[in-house]
Amino acid sequence: MKKNELRALLLEQRMSFSPEDVHACTAAIAGQFIKGSFTSVQCLLSYFPLTERNEPEVRACEEHMRALNASMILAMPRIDIPQIAMNACSIDDATVYTKNKYGIAEPANGAIVDPADIEMIFVPLIGFDTMGNRVG
């Protein structure tokens, strides 16, 4: 099976999940995640899940990280269309969000984080192969 065919199949399967299924998967992911020890992480780049694509909610994992290290920087991606780039922008409770051209929420304000400072990244995916590589 080709990668694009596998991605389509996996997305179709995920889209068939009920809201209860998505909630259960989210809880399972968070339950596994909090077993780890990430006290030294100073900067986390996360993402806003696309609920219309049944992406799992990562907020519980972010909150766990923040509980381990209150000074940790939490950043979200923001696309820079003129530069054809994506930047990580620090966020806090005062951050204002707008939807980008893809309909994805992103911070309208916030300092750009140096990529070298990012120590952990949450990446949305549809699936992975037997080697742990992201399929889509």
Side-chain angles (χ1 to χ4, degrees), residues 3-17 50 52-55 125-127 135-136:
K3 184 177 177 178
N4 62 338
E5 295 169 334
L6 180 58
R7 288 179 68 190
L9 175 66
L10 293 172
L11 182 57
E12 182 181 327
Q13 288 174 349
R14 189 174 73 193
M15 293 304 295
S16 71
F17 289 2
L50 299 176
E52 67 274 9
R53 292 184 62 148
N54 284 347
E55 290 182 351
L125 60 86
I126 295 171
V135 174

Side-chain angles (χ1 to χ4, degrees), residues 11-40:
L11 182 57
E12 182 181 327
Q13 288 174 349
R14 189 174 73 193
M15 293 304 295
S16 71
F17 289 2
S18 69
E20 294 78 18
D21 293 334
V22 174
H23 180 73
C25 289
T26 293
I29 291 167
Q32 289 297 314
F33 182 80
I34 63 173
K35 291 178 182 178
S37 177
F38 305 106
T39 56
S40 65

